[in-house]
Amino acid sequence: MTRSSVRGEGALPHTRRGDEPGEAGEARSAAGGRHKEGAQAPSDGGGRQDGSRGRGTGARSPRPKRRILRWSAMTLTVVILGTAGAGYLYYEHLNSNIKKDKLNLGDDAAPKATANAAGQSPLNILMIGSDSRNTAEDLKLGGSKGDVGRPPLADVQMLVHVSADRSNMSVVSLPRDTMISIPKCTDPHTHKVYEPLSLSMANESLGRGGPGCTVATWEKLTGIHIDHFMMVDFSGVVSMADAIGGVPVCVRQNVYSHTSDGHGSGLKLKAGTTPVKGKQALQWLRTRYGFEDGTDLGRTHAQHMYMNSMVRQLRENATLSNPDEMRSLAETATKALTVDEGLGTVKKLYDLSEDFKQVPTKGITMTTLPTEQWSQDHNRLVPMPGDADQLISMIRKDTPLNGQRAKQKVEQASKDPAAPDGQIAVQVRNGTGVNGRAPTPQRALAVEQALQGKGFKQATKDTELTPEAETTVLYPSADLEGDAQAVAKAMGVPVSSVRKSTDVSGVTMIVGADWRTGDTYPASAQPTKAPKSAAVLSGDKEDACMEIQKGFTWG
């Protein structure tokens, strides 16, 4: 992940309309626009918080223990139930509601993950929340006519990783204000080419050709192959909340997101649990001032809570007792979605939901990419060195983020037996120079000598530099798989880091940035739990409430 301060297509990131220092234009968030937050706040904070549903101040409604992060299932379950008995024509009608776009608009794609010994592969789905103002419904929820036609922003970005064995699910959110590099993207409809940006706000990727550019940006950032994306604009989020009668959210104290100079979302809630819908749902998703420390990280955590609760509501209401209501939900859900071309039917969405359903609640872990303030603008963030890389590495290696590898399968050895160590030819490359760091001098030579000391007499160093964040052992054909595994085992490299590649002509060890010193692969390069800075939220955690920022309480 680059932390360069040079921005392509111009100088440093400019201050854009609705984005003044101090977050005057905070409204660019989860599902909502770039207008100033206070502009759409109802005078009473969006209506009653207690009496309308028979709840007293601070009372909390009974909520099930299961906390399930299956945002995509909010559509999947409802759609299938809504179409039950409706017939082929209605099924095709719902299919036509789903908008589709190209998966990846970049020139390069991250390689797909290698299947495990049982032939299973992980799934990576990118969830995107757009702040588009290009429909009448979106415009009614805030903003001005001048917003119509402007490029949308990807103000919610969540990578959902489902493990190969479907035992766990990891979710990584990217704060919208994070400064990252954006690759070259080509709009599939206009064929306009957007040149790469060396450093820009993460949410700008969507306006550079569509969601496929956001996918390309994530693949560049993480090196993780994205299988599918699902995008919803902020009117779609509201319509879903309205269709299910509101989404319950919880705050520990009374909260009013409002400052004396007019900043804030306008959210006004009493302590406890309140079902939010309409503009109030948007206020929740957009709130920065008032939650936790008043930064974009708090907003991300609130979005996690909202999505969890929304799915829970859909599951509770997903019955066949009211077919008309189910059809209405199915219409709403399918109209709200834009997906990649490989996910563009109700059947494919349902199949995806079946993969999600295999994950037990305790196997779900929600996180936020660790970030820190950017030295050139404290209103912006950059990925935190070390911790961000660790979190991404665990996803890439299909390692559960909660530190619990229940019934973890033992990696099976290759069916191809390895040759004697002394007969295995292996090349060693120096890949330690990543993220702007110079490669460790003579690193390939050092590891070559270590291999020879362990009996691999045909080990040789390769002068080619191949920057890699993680150490890998590559082999070109199945008859060399056993040899590659033997090399990895001798140096302490996990078998999961051994993979087939047509880019090499023989067994090749690329010594990555995670192994800059020492003769054996370090245990510290094999983390078993997400860093604390990732703000981990477990799927089976009891009901959670947002902490309120000092100075934003009332009553």
Side-chain angles (χ1 to χ4, degrees):
M1 294 176 292
T2 180
R3 298 184 63 210
S4 168
S5 61
V6 180
R7 173 187 171 102
E9 296 186 355
L12 293 176
H14 56 284
T15 300
R16 298 174 302 165
R17 175 173 50 83
D19 194 28
E20 298 86 3
E23 280 296 300
E26 147 166 333
R28 297 178 304 105
S29 89
R34 296 170 64 184
H35 55 287
K36 293 187 178 181
E37 291 186 342
Q40 63 171 305
S43 59
D44 63 353
R48 297 179 64 189
Q49 308 304 314
D50 49 1
S52 61
R53 290 188 177 262
R55 293 187 177 98
T57 303
R60 297 180 63 180
S61 61
R63 301 168 76 179
K65 291 183 179 180
R66 293 177 59 83
R67 298 181 58 85
I68 301 176
L69 180 70
R70 294 175 188 151
W71 184 26
S72 59
M74 78 181 184
T75 297
L76 312 177
T77 302
V78 172
V79 165
I80 297 305
L81 293 173
T83 58
Y88 177 77
L89 291 179
Y90 189 61
Y91 172 81
E92 287 300 302
H93 164 71
L94 289 177
N95 282 342
S96 68
N97 283 345
I98 303 170
K99 297 176 285 295
K100 295 171 280 292
D101 216 326
K102 188 175 179 180
L103 176 62
N104 190 324
L105 304 185
D107 290 341
D108 301 307
K112 290 187 176 181
T114 303
N116 63 17
Q120 302 166 304
S121 297
L123 279 173
N124 295 296
I125 300 94
L126 186 62
M127 306 297 188
I128 305 170
S130 165
D131 81 335
S132 172
R133 302 301 179 118
N134 295 330
T135 68
E137 291 79 8
D138 289 336
L139 201 56
K140 287 179 182 177
L141 292 169
S144 67
K145 292 182 179 179
D147 287 325
V148 176
R150 68 158 172 78
L153 298 169
D155 279 341
V156 171
Q157 299 178 46
M158 296 181 182
L159 176 63
V160 178
H161 172 87
V162 186
S163 66
D165 63 5
R166 306 302 187 256
S167 68
N168 64 88
M169 180 189 296
S170 303
V171 181
V172 180
S173 288
L174 180 65
R176 62 169 193 162
D177 291 344
T178 308
M179 305 300 293
I180 59 175
S181 61
I182 298 178
K184 173 185 174 183
C185 291
T186 302
D187 190 311
H189 308 292
T190 67
H191 305 295
K192 178 178 178 180
V193 175
Y194 294 87
E195 294 302 324
L197 301 176
S198 59
L199 203 64
S200 184
M201 282 180 60
N203 61 1
E204 291 186 9
S205 61
L206 182 60
R208 299 169 60 80
C213 191
T214 304
V215 169
T217 300
W218 270 82
E219 291 202 358
K220 178 177 177 61
L221 175 71
T222 65
I224 296 170
H225 176 77
I226 306 296
D227 298 288
H228 299 291
F229 72 77
M230 302 179 72
M231 182 174 74
V232 61
D233 63 19
F234 72 129
S235 64
V237 171
V238 169
S239 66
M240 288 299 297
D242 290 349
I244 61 177
V247 176
V249 295
C250 180
V251 291
R252 293 198 182 280
Q253 301 90 29
N254 296 347
V255 61
Y256 183 29
S257 178
H258 179 75
T259 66
S260 58
D261 55 355
H263 296 170
S265 70
L267 179 73
K268 190 174 186 179
L269 294 177
K270 290 183 178 180
T273 299
T274 304
V276 295
K277 58 182 179 178
K279 288 187 177 181
Q280 198 173 50
L282 279 182
Q283 289 172 343
W284 177 273
L285 291 166
R286 291 170 47 228
T287 295
R288 169 173 178 168
Y289 297 111
F291 285 161
E292 297 183 351
D293 61 357
T295 69
D296 202 42
L297 298 177
R299 173 166 32 211
T300 300
H301 302 159
Q303 291 166 4
H304 286 171
M305 183 184 298
Y306 180 94
M307 294 304 175
N308 271 348
S309 185
M310 187 176 202
V311 172
R312 191 162 49 245
Q313 285 293 100
L314 284 166
R315 289 173 62 86
E316 290 175 357
N317 294 332
T319 68
L320 293 175
S321 60
N322 190 333
D324 288 340
E325 195 170 284
M326 289 302 100
R327 281 193 291 271
S328 176
L329 282 171
E331 289 283 349
T332 299
T334 52
K335 287 180 179 178
L337 276 180
T338 299
V339 300
D340 64 276
E341 296 163 335
L343 198 60
T345 68
V346 170
K347 173 64 167 61
K348 290 177 179 177
L349 288 168
Y350 177 73
D351 289 343
L352 179 61
S353 76
E354 290 301 295
D355 282 309
F356 280 26
K357 288 177 183 178
Q358 295 181 49
V359 181
T361 307
K362 66 180 181 180
I364 300 170
T365 307
M366 301 185 67
T367 63
T368 301
L369 186 76
T371 56
E372 62 186 16
Q373 285 186 333
W374 186 32
S375 61
Q376 299 188 39
D377 183 348
H378 288 179
N379 291 312
R380 300 289 176 262
L381 304 168
V382 291
M384 183 183 296
D387 283 10
D389 291 325
Q390 176 183 327
L391 185 69
I392 290 172
S393 175
M394 293 182 71
I395 298 290
R396 195 160 45 225
K397 293 180 178 178
D398 200 23
T399 303
L401 299 182
N402 57 11
Q404 300 176 1
R405 301 184 70 96
K407 299 181 181 179
Q408 185 70 20
K409 298 182 299 298
V410 176
E411 294 285 352
Q412 296 182 10
S414 169
K415 295 179 181 179
D416 169 60
D421 294 349
Q423 298 178 21
I424 297 177
V426 53
Q427 288 190 323
V428 183
R429 292 182 187 171
N430 188 345
T432 57
V434 299
N435 294 337
R437 296 182 66 182
T440 301
Q442 302 297 315
R443 189 68 187 126
L445 176 61
V447 175
E448 171 209 340
Q449 293 173 345
L451 276 166
Q452 290 185 351
K454 291 180 178 292
F456 293 86
K457 300 302 182 182
Q458 295 191 42
T460 59
K461 68 180 180 69
D462 190 333
T463 57
E464 181 178 348
L465 297 177
T466 307
E468 291 286 350
E470 298 164 2
T471 298
T472 56
V473 180
L474 308 179
Y475 61 93
S477 55
D479 60 312
L480 292 176
E481 182 180 12
D483 292 359
Q485 288 189 0
V487 170
K489 182 178 180 180
M491 304 304 286
V493 177
V495 175
S496 59
S497 297
V498 179
R499 66 173 186 266
K500 185 178 179 180
S501 172
T502 57
D503 294 334
V504 295
S505 58
V507 176
T508 303
M509 172 176 282
I510 302 178
V511 184
D514 57 349
W515 187 16
R516 297 180 68 91
T517 61
D519 290 345
T520 56
Y521 190 65
S524 60
Q526 305 177 58
T528 59
K529 195 172 184 179
K532 291 183 179 180
S533 57
V536 174
L537 175 64
S538 175
D540 62 353
K541 187 179 185 300
E542 293 294 330
D543 294 338
C545 285
M546 287 301 297
E547 296 288 348
I548 304 307
Q549 184 182 7
K550 185 178 181 180
F552 288 87
T553 57
W554 59 277

